[in-house]
């Protein structure tokens, strides 16, 4: 009975329908995992947070825990490396689409708000631990398999624009939750917006129709070093009938307001603030460093989005154009804060969004845009900080938190509707 079950699980996963696998007994579900998964994985700092039992509650309360529970059996049913690659693609894409469907009301289940981005984050992370524990009987490139799974479960694959006459194409990116050592329950409204808007067709301010496609990026320097931003934006900027007409990276920024960042800087300067893997950038305010892996480009890049139209959206949160930067002026050594943009010949310390990964996604995506399709407008939008979590740490959500998340996502869409020039 076990071999047919394994074949059925693998076949379903390869079709991207792992969530629709037939019910199985606890014994049948668990037996393969005891055969090919090690008992004692060595989790990385991000995976270590899974030791908190609240992390398992997020996918459980969103009905995404099926992916976590059944992934080991699918891994153990895999017979060779090419099959493993296809499996990781399929399960990643299946998890991404399930999260998108839930965020947009097409996949009911659980008592968390449909737009909550945290279940996808914690389900993905738990599955990366299972992948790390997997000990197949054939050689694999484990980092490459994880990269495939990460890309697929973040919307980077099988997520192209549809072709339709007269429909504009808007590409956006959001981020995972971060700052989790201080508050494990944190969400990221930019990730929520990406899930709720991916694949939707909306009416723009000028009355035309646009399709939105989205990805959710990790808050990890190593992934940026390995080119995840370029992998995400490159296919959407390549010339052709499915190329984006506008790109906008989105992240969580300041309390109480949206900001459109006028300038993105080439430098990292956020230390001692770490990423989700507790890694540092290597750059500080006094000693910025250039992000690895960047092609040629200016120290600062200016947004080409229609900022006047986008800052006209003022409710429920104000929307501001942020022209501030930090630079080291030409011929000098000390950083200087400027409210009106960089001066000629200066070195970047921080863009309007700082020297962290939100600034870097804006720089990388727009550097690539200027290289490949400079006529396409692009820039970066910071959302307000998502607040409203209950004081009781055992409560994962609350009415105020859900209202704020919904309001921010709705205003992201309102701002984007004005951001596609005619």
């Amino acid at each position: 009975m076990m071999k047919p079950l394994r074949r059925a699980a693998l076949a379903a996963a390869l079709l991207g329908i792992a969530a629709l696998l037939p019910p199985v007994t606890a014994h049948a579900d668990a037996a393969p995992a005891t055969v090919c998964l090690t008992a004692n994985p060595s989790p990385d700092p991000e995976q270590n947070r899974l030791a908190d039992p609240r992390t398992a509650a997020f996918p459980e309360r969103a009905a995404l825990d099926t992916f976590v529970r059944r992934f080991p059996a699918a891994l153990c049913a895999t017979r060779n490396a090419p099959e493993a690659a296809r499996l990781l693609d399929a399960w990643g894409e299946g998890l991404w689409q399930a999260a998108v469907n839930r965020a947009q009301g097409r996949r009911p289940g659980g008592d968390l708000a449909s737009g909550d981005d945290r279940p996808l984050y914690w389900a993905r992370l738990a599955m990366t631990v299972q992948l790390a524990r997997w000990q197949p009987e054939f050689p694999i490139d484990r980092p490459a398999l994880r990269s495939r799974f990460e890309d697929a479960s973040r919307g980077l694959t099988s997520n192209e624009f549809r072709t339709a006459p007269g429909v504009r194409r808007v590409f956006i990116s959001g981020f995972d939750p971060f700052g989790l050592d201080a508050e494990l329950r944190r969400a990221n409204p930019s990730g929520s917006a990406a899930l709720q808007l991916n694949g939707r067709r909306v009416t723009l301010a000028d009355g035309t129709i646009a399709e939105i496609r989205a990805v959710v990026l990790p808050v990890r320097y190593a992934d940026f070093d390995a080119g995840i931003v370029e992998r995400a934006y490159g296919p959407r900027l390549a010339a052709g009938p499915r190329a984006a007409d506008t790109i906008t990276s989105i992240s969580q920024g300041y309390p109480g307001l949206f900001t459109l960042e006028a300038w993105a800087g080439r430098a990292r300067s956020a230390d001692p603030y770490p990423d989700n893997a507790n890694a540092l950038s290597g750059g500080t305010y006094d000693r910025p460093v250039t992000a690895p892996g960047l092609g040629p480009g200016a120290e600062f890049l200016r947004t080409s989005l229609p900022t006047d139209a986008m800052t006209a959206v003022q409710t429920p949160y104000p929307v501001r154009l942020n022209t501030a930067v930090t630079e080291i002026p030409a011929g000098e050594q000390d950083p200087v804060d400027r409210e009106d943009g960089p001066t000629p010949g200066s070195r970047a310390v921080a863009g309007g969004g700082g020297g962290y990964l939100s600034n870097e996604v804006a720089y990388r995506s727009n550097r690539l845009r200027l290289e490949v399709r400079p006529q396409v407008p692009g820039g970066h939008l910071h959302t307000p900080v998502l607040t409203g979590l209950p004081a009781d740490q055992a409560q994962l959500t609350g009415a105020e938190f859900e209202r704020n998340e919904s309001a921010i996502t709705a205003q992201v869409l309102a701002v984007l509707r004005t951001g596609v020039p005619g």
Side-chain angles (χ1 to χ4, degrees), residues 32-314:
T34 64
V35 173
C36 78
L37 269 67
T38 59
N40 297 306
S42 300
D44 62 34
E46 189 172 24
Q47 294 166 337
N48 266 328
R49 299 188 186 101
L50 293 165
D52 190 312
R54 291 175 297 173
T55 63
F58 286 108
E60 288 170 3
R61 292 177 59 180
L64 293 182
D65 56 318
T66 301
F67 285 88
V68 181
R69 289 187 289 105
R70 298 193 175 178
F71 189 45
L75 287 172
C76 291
T78 307
R79 295 165 296 184
N80 54 57
E83 200 172 82
R86 295 193 298 271
L87 181 97
L88 271 295
D89 290 344
W91 277 76
E93 289 169 7
L95 178 61
W96 167 256
Q97 196 56 54
V100 168
N101 287 345
R102 185 178 189 278
Q104 298 180 21
R106 296 189 298 272
R107 181 190 169 93
D111 64 343
L112 291 179
S114 60
D116 199 320
D117 64 306
R118 298 172 295 176
L120 172 61
Y121 173 76
W122 292 110
R124 180 196 302 114
L125 194 61
M127 293 169 75
T128 66
V129 171
Q130 294 167 339
L131 177 61
R133 295 176 59 193
W134 180 37
Q135 298 298 322
E137 296 178 354
F138 49 87
I140 58 170
D141 184 340
R142 201 178 303 273
L145 288 177
R146 175 164 178 178
S147 180
R148 293 182 78 110
F149 177 70
E150 291 270 358
D151 282 7
S153 64
R154 295 178 176 281
L156 273 68
T157 63
S158 188
N159 191 22
E160 293 183 342
F161 290 104
R162 293 165 285 179
T163 55
V167 176
R168 312 298 297 280
R169 295 172 296 277
V170 178
F171 184 67
I172 65 173
S173 63
F175 273 106
D176 285 344
F178 64 101
L180 299 171
D181 287 332
E183 172 54 84
L184 188 79
R185 300 172 297 163
R186 279 183 177 152
N188 194 323
S190 69
S192 176
L195 292 173
Q196 293 185 59
L197 298 178
N198 183 62
R200 285 181 54 183
R201 286 192 173 172
V202 301
T203 303
L204 300 176
D206 63 3
T208 59
I209 303 299
E211 179 181 334
I212 301 174
R213 288 287 165 176
V215 296
V216 176
L217 297 172
V219 184
R220 295 189 298 249
Y221 288 112
D223 295 74
F224 274 53
D225 295 348
I228 194 170
V229 174
E230 290 77 7
R231 294 200 306 276
Y233 279 86
R236 278 74 177 190
L237 288 169
R242 297 185 178 183
D245 296 305
T246 300
I247 63 168
T248 304
S249 52
I250 307 173
S251 64
Q252 183 175 226
Y254 308 99
L257 79 160
F258 282 84
T259 56
L260 278 163
E261 303 305 335
W263 297 96
R266 192 174 173 85
R268 291 176 175 174
S269 57
D271 295 354
Y273 192 82
D275 68 5
N276 273 352
N278 286 346
L280 297 175
S281 71
T284 66
Y285 183 86
D286 293 315
R287 294 181 179 276
V289 298
T290 299
L294 286 176
E299 286 292 301
F300 290 97
L301 299 178
R302 186 176 178 88
T303 183
S304 56
L305 293 172
T307 55
D308 288 346
M310 297 173 82
T311 53
V313 181
Q314 290 291 316

